[in-house]
mmCIF file with all atom_site columns, all heavy atoms in Angstrom:
data_model
loop_
_atom_site.group_PDB
_atom_site.id
_atom_site.type_symbol
_atom_site.label_atom_id
_atom_site.label_alt_id
_atom_site.label_comp_id
_atom_site.label_asym_id
_atom_site.label_entity_id
_atom_site.label_seq_id
_atom_site.pdbx_PDB_ins_code
_atom_site.Cartn_x
_atom_site.Cartn_y
_atom_site.Cartn_z
_atom_site.occupancy
_atom_site.B_iso_or_equiv
_atom_site.pdbx_formal_charge
_atom_site.auth_seq_id
_atom_site.auth_comp_id
_atom_site.auth_asym_id
_atom_site.auth_atom_id
_atom_site.pdbx_PDB_model_num
ATOM 1  N N   . PRO A 1 6  ? 13.599  -0.540  16.273 1.00 87.00 ? 950  PRO A N   1
ATOM 2  C CA  . PRO A 1 6  ? 13.421  -1.873  15.679 1.00 87.00 ? 950  PRO A CA  1
ATOM 3  C C   . PRO A 1 6  ? 11.959  -2.295  15.541 1.00 87.00 ? 950  PRO A C   1
ATOM 4  O O   . PRO A 1 6  ? 11.585  -2.947  14.576 1.00 87.00 ? 950  PRO A O   1
ATOM 5  C CB  . PRO A 1 6  ? 14.141  -2.793  16.672 1.00 87.00 ? 950  PRO A CB  1
ATOM 6  C CG  . PRO A 1 6  ? 15.086  -1.921  17.418 1.00 87.00 ? 950  PRO A CG  1
ATOM 7  C CD  . PRO A 1 6  ? 14.503  -0.551  17.420 1.00 87.00 ? 950  PRO A CD  1
ATOM 8  N N   . THR A 1 7  ? 11.122  -1.886  16.491 1.00 89.00 ? 951  THR A N   1
ATOM 9  C CA  . THR A 1 7  ? 9.698   -2.242  16.434 1.00 89.00 ? 951  THR A CA  1
ATOM 10 C C   . THR A 1 7  ? 9.050   -1.676  15.168 1.00 89.00 ? 951  THR A C   1
ATOM 11 O O   . THR A 1 7  ? 8.281   -2.351  14.496 1.00 89.00 ? 951  THR A O   1
ATOM 12 C CB  . THR A 1 7  ? 8.964   -1.640  17.650 1.00 89.00 ? 951  THR A CB  1
ATOM 13 O OG1 . THR A 1 7  ? 9.832   -1.670  18.775 1.00 89.00 ? 951  THR A OG1 1
ATOM 14 C CG2 . THR A 1 7  ? 7.713   -2.372  17.955 1.00 89.00 ? 951  THR A CG2 1
ATOM 15 N N   . LEU A 1 34 ? 2.017   5.019   13.544 1.00 87.00 ? 978  LEU A N   1
ATOM 16 C CA  . LEU A 1 34 ? 2.333   5.798   14.757 1.00 87.00 ? 978  LEU A CA  1
ATOM 17 C C   . LEU A 1 34 ? 1.278   6.853   15.018 1.00 87.00 ? 978  LEU A C   1
ATOM 18 O O   . LEU A 1 34 ? 0.962   7.148   16.175 1.00 87.00 ? 978  LEU A O   1
ATOM 19 C CB  . LEU A 1 34 ? 3.686   6.482   14.577 1.00 87.00 ? 978  LEU A CB  1
ATOM 20 C CG  . LEU A 1 34 ? 4.920   5.606   14.692 1.00 87.00 ? 978  LEU A CG  1
ATOM 21 C CD1 . LEU A 1 34 ? 6.144   6.425   14.436 1.00 87.00 ? 978  LEU A CD1 1
ATOM 22 C CD2 . LEU A 1 34 ? 4.979   4.975   16.079 1.00 87.00 ? 978  LEU A CD2 1
ATOM 23 N N   . THR A 1 36 ? -1.817  6.766   13.934 1.00 89.00 ? 980  THR A N   1
ATOM 24 C CA  . THR A 1 36 ? -3.169  6.226   14.014 1.00 89.00 ? 980  THR A CA  1
ATOM 25 C C   . THR A 1 36 ? -3.542  5.940   15.469 1.00 89.00 ? 980  THR A C   1
ATOM 26 O O   . THR A 1 36 ? -2.695  5.571   16.279 1.00 89.00 ? 980  THR A O   1
ATOM 27 C CB  . THR A 1 36 ? -3.258  4.933   13.190 1.00 89.00 ? 980  THR A CB  1
ATOM 28 O OG1 . THR A 1 36 ? -2.731  5.193   11.896 1.00 89.00 ? 980  THR A OG1 1
ATOM 29 C CG2 . THR A 1 36 ? -4.674  4.439   13.051 1.00 89.00 ? 980  THR A CG2 1
ATOM 30 N N   . LYS A 1 52 ? -6.873  -15.055 9.012  1.00 88.00 ? 996  LYS A N   1
ATOM 31 C CA  . LYS A 1 52 ? -6.130  -16.319 8.933  1.00 88.00 ? 996  LYS A CA  1
ATOM 32 C C   . LYS A 1 52 ? -6.806  -17.433 9.715  1.00 88.00 ? 996  LYS A C   1
ATOM 33 O O   . LYS A 1 52 ? -6.700  -18.604 9.341  1.00 88.00 ? 996  LYS A O   1
ATOM 34 C CB  . LYS A 1 52 ? -4.687  -16.124 9.458  1.00 88.00 ? 996  LYS A CB  1
ATOM 35 C CG  . LYS A 1 52 ? -3.829  -15.242 8.580  1.00 88.00 ? 996  LYS A CG  1
ATOM 36 C CD  . LYS A 1 52 ? -3.841  -15.629 7.115  1.00 88.00 ? 996  LYS A CD  1
ATOM 37 C CE  . LYS A 1 52 ? -3.063  -16.880 6.815  1.00 88.00 ? 996  LYS A CE  1
ATOM 38 N NZ  . LYS A 1 52 ? -3.003  -17.093 5.348  1.00 88.00 ? 996  LYS A NZ  1
ATOM 39 N N   . GLU A 1 66 ? -16.333 -18.064 5.170  1.00 89.00 ? 1010 GLU A N   1
ATOM 40 C CA  . GLU A 1 66 ? -16.232 -18.128 6.623  1.00 89.00 ? 1010 GLU A CA  1
ATOM 41 C C   . GLU A 1 66 ? -16.990 -19.328 7.165  1.00 89.00 ? 1010 GLU A C   1
ATOM 42 O O   . GLU A 1 66 ? -16.624 -19.890 8.182  1.00 89.00 ? 1010 GLU A O   1
ATOM 43 C CB  . GLU A 1 66 ? -16.774 -16.834 7.249  1.00 89.00 ? 1010 GLU A CB  1
ATOM 44 C CG  . GLU A 1 66 ? -15.696 -15.772 7.370  1.00 89.00 ? 1010 GLU A CG  1
ATOM 45 C CD  . GLU A 1 66 ? -16.180 -14.539 8.090  1.00 89.00 ? 1010 GLU A CD  1
ATOM 46 O OE1 . GLU A 1 66 ? -16.383 -14.604 9.300  1.00 89.00 ? 1010 GLU A OE1 1
ATOM 47 O OE2 . GLU A 1 66 ? -16.337 -13.521 7.423  1.00 89.00 ? 1010 GLU A OE2 1
ATOM 48 N N   . PRO B 1 6  ? -17.190 -11.108 5.756  1.00 87.00 ? 274  PRO B N   1
ATOM 49 C CA  . PRO B 1 6  ? -17.054 -9.899  6.578  1.00 87.00 ? 274  PRO B CA  1
ATOM 50 C C   . PRO B 1 6  ? -15.647 -9.753  7.194  1.00 87.00 ? 274  PRO B C   1
ATOM 51 O O   . PRO B 1 6  ? -15.134 -8.637  7.307  1.00 87.00 ? 274  PRO B O   1
ATOM 52 C CB  . PRO B 1 6  ? -18.097 -10.089 7.665  1.00 87.00 ? 274  PRO B CB  1
ATOM 53 C CG  . PRO B 1 6  ? -19.069 -11.059 7.130  1.00 87.00 ? 274  PRO B CG  1
ATOM 54 C CD  . PRO B 1 6  ? -18.349 -11.911 6.140  1.00 87.00 ? 274  PRO B CD  1
ATOM 55 N N   . THR B 1 7  ? -15.029 -10.862 7.583  1.00 89.00 ? 275  THR B N   1
ATOM 56 C CA  . THR B 1 7  ? -13.698 -10.813 8.180  1.00 89.00 ? 275  THR B CA  1
ATOM 57 C C   . THR B 1 7  ? -12.709 -10.183 7.216  1.00 89.00 ? 275  THR B C   1
ATOM 58 O O   . THR B 1 7  ? -11.870 -9.365  7.585  1.00 89.00 ? 275  THR B O   1
ATOM 59 C CB  . THR B 1 7  ? -13.222 -12.244 8.520  1.00 89.00 ? 275  THR B CB  1
ATOM 60 O OG1 . THR B 1 7  ? -14.328 -13.011 8.908  1.00 89.00 ? 275  THR B OG1 1
ATOM 61 C CG2 . THR B 1 7  ? -12.189 -12.230 9.601  1.00 89.00 ? 275  THR B CG2 1
ATOM 62 N N   . THR B 1 36 ? -0.851  -15.446 2.394  1.00 89.00 ? 304  THR B N   1
ATOM 63 C CA  . THR B 1 36 ? 0.362   -15.367 3.199  1.00 89.00 ? 304  THR B CA  1
ATOM 64 C C   . THR B 1 36 ? 0.326   -16.417 4.305  1.00 89.00 ? 304  THR B C   1
ATOM 65 O O   . THR B 1 36 ? -0.726  -16.760 4.816  1.00 89.00 ? 304  THR B O   1
ATOM 66 C CB  . THR B 1 36 ? 0.479   -13.966 3.814  1.00 89.00 ? 304  THR B CB  1
ATOM 67 O OG1 . THR B 1 36 ? 0.333   -13.029 2.768  1.00 89.00 ? 304  THR B OG1 1
ATOM 68 C CG2 . THR B 1 36 ? 1.821   -13.772 4.492  1.00 89.00 ? 304  THR B CG2 1
ATOM 69 N N   . LYS B 1 52 ? 2.400   0.428   18.656 1.00 88.00 ? 320  LYS B N   1
ATOM 70 C CA  . LYS B 1 52 ? 1.529   1.294   19.433 1.00 88.00 ? 320  LYS B CA  1
ATOM 71 C C   . LYS B 1 52 ? 1.845   1.217   20.945 1.00 88.00 ? 320  LYS B C   1
ATOM 72 O O   . LYS B 1 52 ? 1.701   2.192   21.646 1.00 88.00 ? 320  LYS B O   1
ATOM 73 C CB  . LYS B 1 52 ? 0.058   0.929   19.216 1.00 88.00 ? 320  LYS B CB  1
ATOM 74 C CG  . LYS B 1 52 ? -0.446  1.250   17.830 1.00 88.00 ? 320  LYS B CG  1
ATOM 75 C CD  . LYS B 1 52 ? -0.129  2.659   17.356 1.00 88.00 ? 320  LYS B CD  1
ATOM 76 C CE  . LYS B 1 52 ? -0.979  3.739   17.993 1.00 88.00 ? 320  LYS B CE  1
ATOM 77 N NZ  . LYS B 1 52 ? -0.665  5.076   17.445 1.00 88.00 ? 320  LYS B NZ  1
ATOM 78 N N   . GLU B 1 66 ? 12.007  3.992   21.364 1.00 89.00 ? 334  GLU B N   1
ATOM 79 C CA  . GLU B 1 66 ? 11.532  2.860   22.149 1.00 89.00 ? 334  GLU B CA  1
ATOM 80 C C   . GLU B 1 66 ? 11.970  3.012   23.603 1.00 89.00 ? 334  GLU B C   1
ATOM 81 O O   . GLU B 1 66 ? 11.293  2.578   24.524 1.00 89.00 ? 334  GLU B O   1
ATOM 82 C CB  . GLU B 1 66 ? 12.085  1.552   21.573 1.00 89.00 ? 334  GLU B CB  1
ATOM 83 C CG  . GLU B 1 66 ? 11.140  0.974   20.545 1.00 89.00 ? 334  GLU B CG  1
ATOM 84 C CD  . GLU B 1 66 ? 11.603  -0.356  20.033 1.00 89.00 ? 334  GLU B CD  1
ATOM 85 O OE1 . GLU B 1 66 ? 11.517  -1.349  20.748 1.00 89.00 ? 334  GLU B OE1 1
ATOM 86 O OE2 . GLU B 1 66 ? 12.064  -0.398  18.879 1.00 89.00 ? 334  GLU B OE2 1
#
Side-chain angles (χ1 to χ4, degrees):
Chain A
T951 324
L978 285 177
T980 309
K996 292 310 286 187
E1010 272 185 71
Chain B
T275 325
T304 309
K320 292 311 285 183
E334 270 184 73

